[in-house]
Amino acid sequence: MAEFAKIFKKLRLERELSQSRLADQLGISKSAVNMYERGDRRPDFETAEVIADFFNVDMNYLLGYSDKITRLSGDHTDPTSGPCVEVTAAELELLKAFRHAGAETQAAIRAILHI
């Protein structure tokens, strides 16, 4: 249960949301958000789906069963919508760092990776 609590809180803080604001966005009570973060309670399946959709993460990642975060850039059923990309939490952190790096750093990384 602690894994979900840790991941849920991390996702909230990454979005810079207060517990109240997140509760409003998810349509649940602030006390539910608080209990989820403390590990006193886990969401039911439907609520977990809402949370996973809101944060755009795979349900297995949210519940602590996988380190793969699925960021969908398209729909598997629609060939025109683009590919889906699976990344680990560590890979996502690298992507965030790259996006915040300066132009020279980004160019150096591209040169190292030959892209």
Side-chain angles (χ1 to χ4, degrees), residues 36-95:
Y36 295 160
E37 288 189 4
R38 287 193 325 250
D40 294 341
R41 186 172 138 192
R42 284 182 79 141
D44 60 27
F45 183 78
E46 290 78 19
T47 304
E49 280 188 313
V50 169
I51 294 168
D53 288 346
F54 177 79
F55 288 115
N56 195 24
V57 297
D58 183 77
M59 179 93 74
N60 287 324
Y61 171 76
L62 178 66
L63 298 175
Y65 302 135
S66 169
D67 66 347
K68 289 283 186 187
I69 302 173
T70 303
R71 301 287 184 184
L72 299 178
S73 62
D75 178 353
H76 285 294
T77 62
D78 180 1
T80 64
S81 68
C84 293
V85 179
E86 287 190 11
V87 296
T88 65
E91 290 167 336
L92 186 58
E93 291 303 315
L94 288 171
L95 179 59

